[in-house]
Amino acid sequence: MFRFQSLNEDCMLEEEDDGLIEDEDEIDQFNDDTFGAGAIDDDWQEEHKRLAELDERDELGAGLGFGGGGMGGDSDLSTSERPSSTRIPSSVVHPPPPSSLASLSFSSSSSRLPPSDVEDRVGEGDLAESLARLILDADPAIAGVGAAERPGLPPGSSGSGLSALRGLDQPRVLPQPSPILPPTQPHQHPQHQLPPGLPASGLPPSSMLSYQQQQHLLRRGTAPMGQMSSHSIWENSMGFGPVSVTPGLLTHMEDNPLMSIIKEVGHPKRAPQGRNDEDLSERAPPPRSSSPVIGSPPVRAVPIGTPPKQPMSHALNHQNSPLCRGPFPPRVGPVLSQIQRAQLLNSQVAGFPRGGPPPLLPGGGGFRPFFGGPPPPHGHRMGPPPPHGPPNHAPPLRHNTTHLHPQHRRMLTQRMQSRGGDRRPGMDRRSRDPYSNLMTQKEKEWVTKIQMMQLQSTDPYLDDYYYQNYYEKMEKRQEKEQDSSKKEHTTKLITPQVAKVEHTYRPVQFAGSLGKLTVSSVNNPRKMIDAVVTTRSDDEEKREKQVWNKRRQILYTVEKMYSLLLEVQDFEKCFVQAPEEDREALLEQHKSNTEQLCSSLREKEWDDRVSDEQCVMIMSVRKGKRLISRLLPFLPSMQAAAVVMAIARNLPALAKKDKQDQVLCWLVEPVSAVIQSLSSASLTDLLQELQGSEGQLATVLHNKFGVTLLYVILSEGERMQSSDPNCQLMDDNRWTELVFSVTRELLSVPSSSLSPPLFTPPNLLSLFSRYVDRQRLELLQDKLQISALSR
Amino acid sequence: HQQLFEKHLVLLRDGRTLIGYLRSIDQFANLVFHQTVERIHVGKKFGDIPRGIFIVRGENVVLLGEIDMDKPCDTVLQQVSIEEILEEQRLQQQAKQETEKVKMQVLKDRGLSIPKADNLDEY
């Protein structure tokens, strides 16, 4: 597979520069990650230095298992890094038998280099020695960047390729700590194979490797001979990435083509080895690609304009300290700012090393930093901390269910507990299920974390209205049922508040430079088009559109009023939850909202009266009717009365407009409420309005709402009369007359055009009995189906 | 852990009911079902058709729930063979189509036409 043939002629060392320049493109193809998409722009030398220092510190043997091996004298193993084989992860370290030269690794190669063959060819001990020396030198020399440029390979290196490789495995090309693994046992590298094209003689591929590759290595090469990463990397690695060779190796063995092969081809596939003995059900899929250790090198350059990450968002991937940190003590006083709290939550939401129930069935209890300690400054009411975890046999709470309402969590806990006793019979079943752990706990937590993130909101009442309201109602119900001694059950739900971090875009600026960079990214796209709104000034069109505009105007008004109304309605809720300092402002806002609402009903700003026209206009739209019905309770009584008057006055028109929607009856309840607060004079007025002009009453009676309204009015009058003998209703004759006319109408109107009301007030009968004689009363009774007994 | 041991029941948007071991789930509610059985209900009878492994795209999931194996099963439903339930289903579909046809005809006679919601989901 490899271009060994073509490389044949390029075997000789030529002038460095030429080779480099012309073959750069070829080389590029080998390694996308280095030159292509995953390439990083930063200074590899610095990186190298840094990592090398890390290496020394960590003392992870750069996998120079030469310490083992048939490398003969290891006298040159320098101190800190020559690990004994023990230091190196076990799966990788085995002192290679002298015959193993298994370290040739080619990612796609097929056949295996017979170790013995190679050994026969190259087995010079001194060669090995020198090689070892070189490599070992290379390690400390990693720090010295200049190593890369040092020419001059010690002699005998040409044949040393293979043996050198004995000790090496391909470290990655990445500027990260890349491991150089010791020579591994043959069986660990089933894929250490030379390409079929390679003569079985095992002639050092050095002769075959192109010079370019060597140069390529030279030029690029100073990947650190990094530390061996933890075992887990290789376990999980599903492949190999581009590989680099230590600078030491490079420099000292620049014509060691094998290294370059290895470098090109990639790292041996260690993963399957370690896993063969493991249980199938314990295999873990490769971790998410955002882990910097595996796969492509980390993309350091964050595009300009990217909003800042949450600090702990990658905690899930780093399976170290954030996760291993213990859970917060349940009584940590939440004296945190909102932002800290949000961050805290995020970090806790990241994989938490707790066993327990699946994320979908969280338990209760557990730690709850929010619920402990003194109330936070912003005045959320906190209940006392919930009971510390469920009984032992129930699983501990998943941290990521903090966002659940305590009631909700309690229900889930109860459910869990009730099933806890049943667990034993199921246990056996589970342990025998080979597919059971396909999804690791980490993954489950990850999914839950995502789902929980969706619950975070800055305004829970907006984002999750129904959930909040439902649990509020339940709370209220419970409060009624239980006595006040059981206060603990009424813990309030506190959803996590995502910190409202302002992500304003500030264009990147460099000090002392002129102008700004114009870099656009996903998060701050550049403005491409200037869209300007131009209104068309065509006269004809205008006239045509006027009709449309009117309706649109109405709709617009309705919408605006609705938003005001909703704010007014929610005022109480907000008020209760707001901190002290905000309350004043809220109150002010509330007042102005109500003001605005009232004024919107007026036609002209200076006219205090409710405008009929406006009301009718609003009510011509279905939503408007709904709006009015919700608005009435909030209006001051004067205005409310005026609105009701307007309704009565214009009922026929309204009825007509309502023909399609049939929703006038929404108004019954609020209107009744208003009516019941009317004075007798107003009531009489109202009745008069309802009757209005000639024939209006008939229309009224024809309409369900009208009939109901009429009945309500009459009933109210009756109530007034019967309850208060001195009521002014009878002071003038208006009321009596009006009632007379009503009864007349009722009797004369054919039954078919009399619409049945929504409900019939029980005291109508007594009302009518005052005014009409027996005969008529009976007629009325029949007609209106008013039973003698009050309902 | 328990989540992936018990059998789960999922109702899909096209009305199908699947029961099986839920092996994997992701944030879109994509599901991996193992040893899946499709349960068809017609009237009081039901039938199970074994389906093997199912991968369900999340958008088609209506609801998903865990089956409590330990709960006593006091259902009135009667399990029948696959052939029978399929036959029943076919009959049911047929009857539905018949009534639909008649309805459309009647409406047509009266000059009304209720547009069929072809572009909506079936349920």
Side-chain angles (χ1 to χ4, degrees), chain A residues 358 360-361 416 419 422-423 430 433 435-436 439 441 446, chain B residues 1-6 23-27 34 66 70:
Chain A
L360 294 185
L361 290 179
M416 286 303 301
R419 300 170 77 243
D422 302 336
R423 214 168 300 159
R430 263 169 237 135
D433 190 350
Y435 298 100
S436 53
M439 227 179 147
Q441 196 57 31
W446 182 76
Chain B
H1 284 299
Q2 286 167 316
Q3 166 201 7
L4 301 182
F5 291 88
E6 307 287 352
R23 293 304 182 195
S24 188
I25 189 171
D26 72 355
Q27 69 266 37
H34 188 210
E66 189 174 319
D70 304 321

PDB file of all heavy atoms in Angstrom, chain A residues 358 360-361 416 419 422-423 430 433 435-436 439 441 446, chain B residues 1-6 23-27 34 66 70:
ATOM      1  N   PRO A 358     -31.256   4.936  36.926  1.00  0.00           N
ATOM      2  CA  PRO A 358     -31.010   5.577  35.637  1.00  0.00           C
ATOM      3  C   PRO A 358     -31.524   7.001  35.666  1.00  0.00           C
ATOM      4  O   PRO A 358     -32.372   7.325  36.470  1.00  0.00           O
ATOM      5  CB  PRO A 358     -31.821   4.728  34.666  1.00  0.00           C
ATOM      6  CG  PRO A 358     -32.863   4.107  35.512  1.00  0.00           C
ATOM      7  CD  PRO A 358     -32.261   3.892  36.844  1.00  0.00           C
ATOM      8  N   LEU A 360     -33.518   8.425  34.063  1.00  0.00           N
ATOM      9  CA  LEU A 360     -34.917   8.635  33.800  1.00  0.00           C
ATOM     10  C   LEU A 360     -35.770   8.430  35.034  1.00  0.00           C
ATOM     11  O   LEU A 360     -36.900   8.839  35.093  1.00  0.00           O
ATOM     12  CB  LEU A 360     -35.400   7.684  32.701  1.00  0.00           C
ATOM     13  CG  LEU A 360     -34.780   7.960  31.340  1.00  0.00           C
ATOM     14  CD1 LEU A 360     -35.416   7.069  30.315  1.00  0.00           C
ATOM     15  CD2 LEU A 360     -34.967   9.408  30.950  1.00  0.00           C
ATOM     16  N   LEU A 361     -35.215   7.769  35.973  1.00  0.00           N
ATOM     17  CA  LEU A 361     -36.004   7.547  37.185  1.00  0.00           C
ATOM     18  C   LEU A 361     -35.198   8.011  38.373  1.00  0.00           C
ATOM     19  O   LEU A 361     -34.638   7.213  39.104  1.00  0.00           O
ATOM     20  CB  LEU A 361     -36.312   6.056  37.350  1.00  0.00           C
ATOM     21  CG  LEU A 361     -37.288   5.492  36.341  1.00  0.00           C
ATOM     22  CD1 LEU A 361     -37.481   4.009  36.617  1.00  0.00           C
ATOM     23  CD2 LEU A 361     -38.633   6.179  36.440  1.00  0.00           C
ATOM     24  N   MET A 416     -39.674   4.777  43.218  1.00  0.00           N
ATOM     25  CA  MET A 416     -38.448   3.983  43.265  1.00  0.00           C
ATOM     26  C   MET A 416     -38.454   3.057  44.454  1.00  0.00           C
ATOM     27  O   MET A 416     -38.108   1.892  44.358  1.00  0.00           O
ATOM     28  CB  MET A 416     -37.229   4.913  43.357  1.00  0.00           C
ATOM     29  CG  MET A 416     -36.886   5.637  42.089  1.00  0.00           C
ATOM     30  SD  MET A 416     -36.592   4.516  40.742  1.00  0.00           S
ATOM     31  CE  MET A 416     -35.267   3.587  41.409  1.00  0.00           C
ATOM     32  N   ARG A 419     -40.510   0.060  44.326  1.00  0.00           N
ATOM     33  CA  ARG A 419     -39.966  -1.003  43.496  1.00  0.00           C
ATOM     34  C   ARG A 419     -38.669  -1.547  44.042  1.00  0.00           C
ATOM     35  O   ARG A 419     -38.135  -2.500  43.541  1.00  0.00           O
ATOM     36  CB  ARG A 419     -39.713  -0.473  42.083  1.00  0.00           C
ATOM     37  CG  ARG A 419     -40.987   0.013  41.452  1.00  0.00           C
ATOM     38  CD  ARG A 419     -40.712   0.751  40.171  1.00  0.00           C
ATOM     39  NE  ARG A 419     -40.409  -0.153  39.090  1.00  0.00           N
ATOM     40  CZ  ARG A 419     -39.255  -0.185  38.459  1.00  0.00           C
ATOM     41  NH1 ARG A 419     -38.297   0.619  38.795  1.00  0.00           N
ATOM     42  NH2 ARG A 419     -39.061  -1.026  37.465  1.00  0.00           N
ATOM     43  N   ASP A 422     -38.698  -5.099  45.130  1.00  0.00           N
ATOM     44  CA  ASP A 422     -38.853  -6.110  44.097  1.00  0.00           C
ATOM     45  C   ASP A 422     -37.560  -6.397  43.377  1.00  0.00           C
ATOM     46  O   ASP A 422     -37.517  -7.151  42.432  1.00  0.00           O
ATOM     47  CB  ASP A 422     -39.880  -5.627  43.069  1.00  0.00           C
ATOM     48  CG  ASP A 422     -41.208  -5.341  43.733  1.00  0.00           C
ATOM     49  OD1 ASP A 422     -41.441  -5.938  44.796  1.00  0.00           O
ATOM     50  OD2 ASP A 422     -41.976  -4.539  43.197  1.00  0.00           O
ATOM     51  N   ARG A 423     -36.550  -5.702  43.809  1.00  0.00           N
ATOM     52  CA  ARG A 423     -35.359  -5.777  42.999  1.00  0.00           C
ATOM     53  C   ARG A 423     -34.709  -7.149  43.027  1.00  0.00           C
ATOM     54  O   ARG A 423     -34.097  -7.565  42.089  1.00  0.00           O
ATOM     55  CB  ARG A 423     -34.353  -4.735  43.448  1.00  0.00           C
ATOM     56  CG  ARG A 423     -33.565  -4.198  42.262  1.00  0.00           C
ATOM     57  CD  ARG A 423     -32.784  -2.992  42.642  1.00  0.00           C
ATOM     58  NE  ARG A 423     -33.662  -1.931  43.105  1.00  0.00           N
ATOM     59  CZ  ARG A 423     -33.251  -0.939  43.855  1.00  0.00           C
ATOM     60  NH1 ARG A 423     -31.994  -0.886  44.233  1.00  0.00           N
ATOM     61  NH2 ARG A 423     -34.058  -0.005  44.248  1.00  0.00           N
ATOM     62  N   ARG A 430     -30.964  -9.658  35.503  1.00  0.00           N
ATOM     63  CA  ARG A 430     -30.118  -8.600  34.988  1.00  0.00           C
ATOM     64  C   ARG A 430     -28.689  -9.052  34.832  1.00  0.00           C
ATOM     65  O   ARG A 430     -28.022  -8.718  33.882  1.00  0.00           O
ATOM     66  CB  ARG A 430     -30.168  -7.402  35.921  1.00  0.00           C
ATOM     67  CG  ARG A 430     -31.150  -6.378  35.431  1.00  0.00           C
ATOM     68  CD  ARG A 430     -31.389  -5.346  36.469  1.00  0.00           C
ATOM     69  NE  ARG A 430     -32.785  -5.285  36.779  1.00  0.00           N
ATOM     70  CZ  ARG A 430     -33.261  -5.234  38.002  1.00  0.00           C
ATOM     71  NH1 ARG A 430     -32.460  -5.289  39.030  1.00  0.00           N
ATOM     72  NH2 ARG A 430     -34.552  -5.138  38.202  1.00  0.00           N
ATOM     73  N   ASP A 433     -28.007 -10.812  31.663  1.00  0.00           N
ATOM     74  CA  ASP A 433     -28.312 -10.168  30.396  1.00  0.00           C
ATOM     75  C   ASP A 433     -27.028  -9.606  29.795  1.00  0.00           C
ATOM     76  O   ASP A 433     -26.460  -8.664  30.317  1.00  0.00           O
ATOM     77  CB  ASP A 433     -29.319  -9.040  30.632  1.00  0.00           C
ATOM     78  CG  ASP A 433     -29.853  -8.495  29.330  1.00  0.00           C
ATOM     79  OD1 ASP A 433     -29.314  -8.857  28.265  1.00  0.00           O
ATOM     80  OD2 ASP A 433     -30.801  -7.714  29.377  1.00  0.00           O
ATOM     81  N   TYR A 435     -26.501  -7.919  27.179  1.00  0.00           N
ATOM     82  CA  TYR A 435     -26.585  -6.639  26.490  1.00  0.00           C
ATOM     83  C   TYR A 435     -26.915  -5.506  27.434  1.00  0.00           C
ATOM     84  O   TYR A 435     -27.209  -4.411  27.012  1.00  0.00           O
ATOM     85  CB  TYR A 435     -27.679  -6.716  25.428  1.00  0.00           C
ATOM     86  CG  TYR A 435     -27.404  -7.745  24.379  1.00  0.00           C
ATOM     87  CD1 TYR A 435     -28.014  -8.989  24.431  1.00  0.00           C
ATOM     88  CD2 TYR A 435     -26.516  -7.486  23.342  1.00  0.00           C
ATOM     89  CE1 TYR A 435     -27.758  -9.942  23.474  1.00  0.00           C
ATOM     90  CE2 TYR A 435     -26.269  -8.437  22.381  1.00  0.00           C
ATOM     91  CZ  TYR A 435     -26.889  -9.669  22.452  1.00  0.00           C
ATOM     92  OH  TYR A 435     -26.637 -10.609  21.508  1.00  0.00           O
ATOM     93  N   SER A 436     -26.851  -5.823  28.670  1.00  0.00           N
ATOM     94  CA  SER A 436     -27.479  -4.863  29.571  1.00  0.00           C
ATOM     95  C   SER A 436     -26.751  -3.538  29.658  1.00  0.00           C
ATOM     96  O   SER A 436     -27.364  -2.515  29.734  1.00  0.00           O
ATOM     97  CB  SER A 436     -27.588  -5.470  30.947  1.00  0.00           C
ATOM     98  OG  SER A 436     -26.301  -5.921  31.338  1.00  0.00           O
ATOM     99  N   MET A 439     -25.222   0.903  27.301  1.00  0.00           N
ATOM    100  CA  MET A 439     -25.127   2.332  27.524  1.00  0.00           C
ATOM    101  C   MET A 439     -24.468   2.525  28.879  1.00  0.00           C
ATOM    102  O   MET A 439     -25.003   2.110  29.892  1.00  0.00           O
ATOM    103  CB  MET A 439     -26.532   2.920  27.561  1.00  0.00           C
ATOM    104  CG  MET A 439     -26.676   4.157  26.713  1.00  0.00           C
ATOM    105  SD  MET A 439     -28.315   4.760  26.789  1.00  0.00           S
ATOM    106  CE  MET A 439     -28.001   6.477  26.657  1.00  0.00           C
ATOM    107  N   GLN A 441     -22.965   4.288  32.212  1.00  0.00           N
ATOM    108  CA  GLN A 441     -23.544   5.255  33.132  1.00  0.00           C
ATOM    109  C   GLN A 441     -23.200   6.666  32.703  1.00  0.00           C
ATOM    110  O   GLN A 441     -24.027   7.578  32.772  1.00  0.00           O
ATOM    111  CB  GLN A 441     -22.993   4.974  34.533  1.00  0.00           C
ATOM    112  CG  GLN A 441     -23.775   5.638  35.616  1.00  0.00           C
ATOM    113  CD  GLN A 441     -25.233   5.263  35.598  1.00  0.00           C
ATOM    114  OE1 GLN A 441     -25.607   4.167  35.210  1.00  0.00           O
ATOM    115  NE2 GLN A 441     -26.083   6.187  35.976  1.00  0.00           N
ATOM    116  N   TRP A 446     -24.880  11.773  30.548  1.00  0.00           N
ATOM    117  CA  TRP A 446     -24.701  12.789  29.522  1.00  0.00           C
ATOM    118  C   TRP A 446     -26.030  13.158  28.894  1.00  0.00           C
ATOM    119  O   TRP A 446     -26.366  14.322  28.723  1.00  0.00           O
ATOM    120  CB  TRP A 446     -23.728  12.251  28.486  1.00  0.00           C
ATOM    121  CG  TRP A 446     -23.403  13.188  27.396  1.00  0.00           C
ATOM    122  CD1 TRP A 446     -22.579  14.258  27.448  1.00  0.00           C
ATOM    123  CD2 TRP A 446     -23.902  13.131  26.066  1.00  0.00           C
ATOM    124  NE1 TRP A 446     -22.521  14.871  26.231  1.00  0.00           N
ATOM    125  CE2 TRP A 446     -23.322  14.198  25.361  1.00  0.00           C
ATOM    126  CE3 TRP A 446     -24.774  12.282  25.401  1.00  0.00           C
ATOM    127  CZ2 TRP A 446     -23.595  14.431  24.026  1.00  0.00           C
ATOM    128  CZ3 TRP A 446     -25.035  12.528  24.074  1.00  0.00           C
ATOM    129  CH2 TRP A 446     -24.452  13.586  23.399  1.00  0.00           C
TER     130      TRP A 446
ATOM    131  N   HIS B   1     -29.595   2.236  36.030  1.00  0.00           N
ATOM    132  CA  HIS B   1     -29.293   0.887  35.546  1.00  0.00           C
ATOM    133  C   HIS B   1     -30.557   0.155  35.228  1.00  0.00           C
ATOM    134  O   HIS B   1     -30.656  -0.604  34.294  1.00  0.00           O
ATOM    135  CB  HIS B   1     -28.533   0.113  36.599  1.00  0.00           C
ATOM    136  CG  HIS B   1     -27.113   0.528  36.685  1.00  0.00           C
ATOM    137  ND1 HIS B   1     -26.263   0.408  35.618  1.00  0.00           N
ATOM    138  CD2 HIS B   1     -26.411   1.083  37.668  1.00  0.00           C
ATOM    139  CE1 HIS B   1     -25.075   0.868  35.997  1.00  0.00           C
ATOM    140  NE2 HIS B   1     -25.133   1.278  37.210  1.00  0.00           N
ATOM    141  N   GLN B   2     -31.546   0.424  36.057  1.00  0.00           N
ATOM    142  CA  GLN B   2     -32.768  -0.325  35.849  1.00  0.00           C
ATOM    143  C   GLN B   2     -33.398   0.007  34.526  1.00  0.00           C
ATOM    144  O   GLN B   2     -34.089  -0.796  33.941  1.00  0.00           O
ATOM    145  CB  GLN B   2     -33.751  -0.026  36.971  1.00  0.00           C
ATOM    146  CG  GLN B   2     -33.353  -0.700  38.233  1.00  0.00           C
ATOM    147  CD  GLN B   2     -34.141  -0.142  39.379  1.00  0.00           C
ATOM    148  OE1 GLN B   2     -34.309   1.045  39.483  1.00  0.00           O
ATOM    149  NE2 GLN B   2     -34.644  -1.009  40.214  1.00  0.00           N
ATOM    150  N   GLN B   3     -33.147   1.176  34.080  1.00  0.00           N
ATOM    151  CA  GLN B   3     -33.805   1.626  32.861  1.00  0.00           C
ATOM    152  C   GLN B   3     -33.588   0.653  31.725  1.00  0.00           C
ATOM    153  O   GLN B   3     -34.436   0.441  30.903  1.00  0.00           O
ATOM    154  CB  GLN B   3     -33.245   2.989  32.495  1.00  0.00           C
ATOM    155  CG  GLN B   3     -33.577   3.426  31.105  1.00  0.00           C
ATOM    156  CD  GLN B   3     -32.611   4.465  30.649  1.00  0.00           C
ATOM    157  OE1 GLN B   3     -31.643   4.755  31.327  1.00  0.00           O
ATOM    158  NE2 GLN B   3     -32.838   5.035  29.492  1.00  0.00           N
ATOM    159  N   LEU B   4     -32.443   0.097  31.673  1.00  0.00           N
ATOM    160  CA  LEU B   4     -32.158  -0.705  30.502  1.00  0.00           C
ATOM    161  C   LEU B   4     -32.272  -2.186  30.794  1.00  0.00           C
ATOM    162  O   LEU B   4     -31.646  -2.992  30.144  1.00  0.00           O
ATOM    163  CB  LEU B   4     -30.769  -0.358  29.977  1.00  0.00           C
ATOM    164  CG  LEU B   4     -30.642   1.127  29.618  1.00  0.00           C
ATOM    165  CD1 LEU B   4     -29.270   1.416  29.070  1.00  0.00           C
ATOM    166  CD2 LEU B   4     -31.680   1.542  28.617  1.00  0.00           C
ATOM    167  N   PHE B   5     -33.008  -2.528  31.784  1.00  0.00           N
ATOM    168  CA  PHE B   5     -33.243  -3.935  32.040  1.00  0.00           C
ATOM    169  C   PHE B   5     -34.684  -4.302  31.804  1.00  0.00           C
ATOM    170  O   PHE B   5     -34.987  -5.362  31.303  1.00  0.00           O
ATOM    171  CB  PHE B   5     -32.905  -4.274  33.490  1.00  0.00           C
ATOM    172  CG  PHE B   5     -31.456  -4.215  33.788  1.00  0.00           C
ATOM    173  CD1 PHE B   5     -30.854  -3.034  34.175  1.00  0.00           C
ATOM    174  CD2 PHE B   5     -30.681  -5.348  33.657  1.00  0.00           C
ATOM    175  CE1 PHE B   5     -29.505  -2.992  34.450  1.00  0.00           C
ATOM    176  CE2 PHE B   5     -29.334  -5.299  33.934  1.00  0.00           C
ATOM    177  CZ  PHE B   5     -28.741  -4.128  34.335  1.00  0.00           C
ATOM    178  N   GLU B   6     -35.538  -3.422  32.204  1.00  0.00           N
ATOM    179  CA  GLU B   6     -36.941  -3.720  32.076  1.00  0.00           C
ATOM    180  C   GLU B   6     -37.371  -3.453  30.647  1.00  0.00           C
ATOM    181  O   GLU B   6     -36.752  -2.718  29.913  1.00  0.00           O
ATOM    182  CB  GLU B   6     -37.738  -2.819  33.021  1.00  0.00           C
ATOM    183  CG  GLU B   6     -37.252  -2.861  34.446  1.00  0.00           C
ATOM    184  CD  GLU B   6     -37.627  -4.146  35.133  1.00  0.00           C
ATOM    185  OE1 GLU B   6     -38.397  -4.917  34.540  1.00  0.00           O
ATOM    186  OE2 GLU B   6     -37.159  -4.380  36.240  1.00  0.00           O
ATOM    187  N   ARG B  23     -32.214  -0.378  24.814  1.00  0.00           N
ATOM    188  CA  ARG B  23     -30.772  -0.488  25.031  1.00  0.00           C
ATOM    189  C   ARG B  23     -30.081   0.845  25.024  1.00  0.00           C
ATOM    190  O   ARG B  23     -29.034   1.012  25.634  1.00  0.00           O
ATOM    191  CB  ARG B  23     -30.149  -1.364  23.936  1.00  0.00           C
ATOM    192  CG  ARG B  23     -30.569  -2.801  23.990  1.00  0.00           C
ATOM    193  CD  ARG B  23     -30.278  -3.412  25.331  1.00  0.00           C
ATOM    194  NE  ARG B  23     -30.653  -4.805  25.365  1.00  0.00           N
ATOM    195  CZ  ARG B  23     -30.787  -5.513  26.474  1.00  0.00           C
ATOM    196  NH1 ARG B  23     -30.592  -4.934  27.635  1.00  0.00           N
ATOM    197  NH2 ARG B  23     -31.118  -6.775  26.418  1.00  0.00           N
ATOM    198  N   SER B  24     -30.601   1.756  24.305  1.00  0.00           N
ATOM    199  CA  SER B  24     -29.900   3.028  24.242  1.00  0.00           C
ATOM    200  C   SER B  24     -30.865   4.150  23.912  1.00  0.00           C
ATOM    201  O   SER B  24     -31.872   3.939  23.252  1.00  0.00           O
ATOM    202  CB  SER B  24     -28.809   2.946  23.178  1.00  0.00           C
ATOM    203  OG  SER B  24     -28.003   4.090  23.232  1.00  0.00           O
ATOM    204  N   ILE B  25     -30.488   5.298  24.393  1.00  0.00           N
ATOM    205  CA  ILE B  25     -31.326   6.453  24.127  1.00  0.00           C
ATOM    206  C   ILE B  25     -30.404   7.656  24.028  1.00  0.00           C
ATOM    207  O   ILE B  25     -29.326   7.654  24.587  1.00  0.00           O
ATOM    208  CB  ILE B  25     -32.356   6.633  25.263  1.00  0.00           C
ATOM    209  CG1 ILE B  25     -33.364   7.700  24.891  1.00  0.00           C
ATOM    210  CG2 ILE B  25     -31.656   6.993  26.568  1.00  0.00           C
ATOM    211  CD1 ILE B  25     -34.513   7.781  25.857  1.00  0.00           C
ATOM    212  N   ASP B  26     -30.826   8.629  23.288  1.00  0.00           N
ATOM    213  CA  ASP B  26     -30.013   9.830  23.229  1.00  0.00           C
ATOM    214  C   ASP B  26     -30.890  11.061  23.413  1.00  0.00           C
ATOM    215  O   ASP B  26     -32.077  10.951  23.712  1.00  0.00           O
ATOM    216  CB  ASP B  26     -29.231   9.894  21.921  1.00  0.00           C
ATOM    217  CG  ASP B  26     -30.121  10.195  20.740  1.00  0.00           C
ATOM    218  OD1 ASP B  26     -31.342  10.268  20.895  1.00  0.00           O
ATOM    219  OD2 ASP B  26     -29.573  10.351  19.634  1.00  0.00           O
ATOM    220  N   GLN B  27     -30.297  12.186  23.213  1.00  0.00           N
ATOM    221  CA  GLN B  27     -31.019  13.404  23.574  1.00  0.00           C
ATOM    222  C   GLN B  27     -32.172  13.696  22.623  1.00  0.00           C
ATOM    223  O   GLN B  27     -33.023  14.518  22.919  1.00  0.00           O
ATOM    224  CB  GLN B  27     -30.069  14.610  23.619  1.00  0.00           C
ATOM    225  CG  GLN B  27     -29.530  15.036  22.277  1.00  0.00           C
ATOM    226  CD  GLN B  27     -28.190  14.405  21.989  1.00  0.00           C
ATOM    227  OE1 GLN B  27     -27.956  13.261  22.335  1.00  0.00           O
ATOM    228  NE2 GLN B  27     -27.310  15.154  21.372  1.00  0.00           N
ATOM    229  N   HIS B  34     -34.255  -3.717  21.671  1.00  0.00           N
ATOM    230  CA  HIS B  34     -33.738  -5.052  21.472  1.00  0.00           C
ATOM    231  C   HIS B  34     -34.843  -6.052  21.743  1.00  0.00           C
ATOM    232  O   HIS B  34     -35.653  -5.868  22.647  1.00  0.00           O
ATOM    233  CB  HIS B  34     -32.560  -5.274  22.437  1.00  0.00           C
ATOM    234  CG  HIS B  34     -31.830  -6.549  22.185  1.00  0.00           C
ATOM    235  ND1 HIS B  34     -31.195  -7.245  23.181  1.00  0.00           N
ATOM    236  CD2 HIS B  34     -31.638  -7.267  21.055  1.00  0.00           C
ATOM    237  CE1 HIS B  34     -30.626  -8.327  22.672  1.00  0.00           C
ATOM    238  NE2 HIS B  34     -30.881  -8.355  21.391  1.00  0.00           N
ATOM    239  N   GLU B  66     -41.855   2.568  30.882  1.00  0.00           N
ATOM    240  CA  GLU B  66     -41.284   1.321  31.337  1.00  0.00           C
ATOM    241  C   GLU B  66     -42.406   0.385  31.751  1.00  0.00           C
ATOM    242  O   GLU B  66     -43.406   0.811  32.317  1.00  0.00           O
ATOM    243  CB  GLU B  66     -40.386   1.613  32.535  1.00  0.00           C
ATOM    244  CG  GLU B  66     -39.570   0.452  32.978  1.00  0.00           C
ATOM    245  CD  GLU B  66     -38.597   0.893  34.081  1.00  0.00           C
ATOM    246  OE1 GLU B  66     -38.027   1.974  33.947  1.00  0.00           O
ATOM    247  OE2 GLU B  66     -38.461   0.151  35.043  1.00  0.00           O
ATOM    248  N   ASP B  70     -43.361  -6.589  37.436  1.00  0.00           N
ATOM    249  CA  ASP B  70     -43.775  -7.205  38.699  1.00  0.00           C
ATOM    250  C   ASP B  70     -45.237  -6.929  39.023  1.00  0.00           C
ATOM    251  O   ASP B  70     -45.814  -7.555  39.887  1.00  0.00           O
ATOM    252  CB  ASP B  70     -42.896  -6.664  39.830  1.00  0.00           C
ATOM    253  CG  ASP B  70     -41.430  -6.898  39.509  1.00  0.00           C
ATOM    254  OD1 ASP B  70     -41.123  -7.982  38.957  1.00  0.00           O
ATOM    255  OD2 ASP B  70     -40.616  -6.010  39.798  1.00  0.00           O
TER     256      ASP B  70
END
